[in-house]
């Protein structure tokens, strides 16, 4: 969940600014290269990472600023 100008944390009921991108995929549903994303604030980064990790879905945790950089992992060239 995010506002285009102010990305917010994906944790339920959290309205804090997102500072992390958790890239994940469900291997039963997605091709190996596909990356879905959740955003996380500092407070919820570990909780959301653990949630995805125990299911084997978590692929990467990247700072939002790095993810959005023109040559970062979330750049249009990599999608």
């Amino acid at each position: 969940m995010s506002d285009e100008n102010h990305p917010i944390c994906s944790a339920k009921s959290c309205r804090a600014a997102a500072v992390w991108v958790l890239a994940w995929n469900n291997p039963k549903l997605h091709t190996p290269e596909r990356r879905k994303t959740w955003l996380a604030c500092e407070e919820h980064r570990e909780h959301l990472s653990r949630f995805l990790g125990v299911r084997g879905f978590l692929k990467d945790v990247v700072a939002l600023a790095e993810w959005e950089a023109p040559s970062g992992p979330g750049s249009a060239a990599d999608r």
Side-chain angles (χ1 to χ4, degrees):
M1 177 190 253
S2 72
D3 171 331
E4 195 169 309
N5 298 318
H6 304 285
I8 60 167
C9 182
S10 298
K12 187 174 182 175
S13 301
C14 184
R15 305 302 296 167
V19 292
W20 297 100
V21 175
L22 285 64
W24 63 278
N25 82 4
N26 179 340
K28 291 182 181 179
L29 301 175
H30 307 120
T31 59
E33 66 279 353
R34 171 89 187 269
R35 292 296 180 264
K36 301 200 45 99
T37 57
W38 281 356
L39 301 177
C41 64
E42 284 293 343
E43 181 181 348
H44 291 109
R45 175 188 174 188
E46 186 62 33
H47 171 74
L48 294 173
S49 293
R50 197 169 35 251
F51 180 90
L52 292 168
V54 298
R55 290 159 178 77
F57 295 175
L58 186 63
K59 301 303 178 191
D60 204 4
V61 178
V62 180
L64 179 60
E66 182 182 333
W67 184 268
E68 291 180 330
S71 61
S75 68
D78 292 335
R79 291 186 193 171

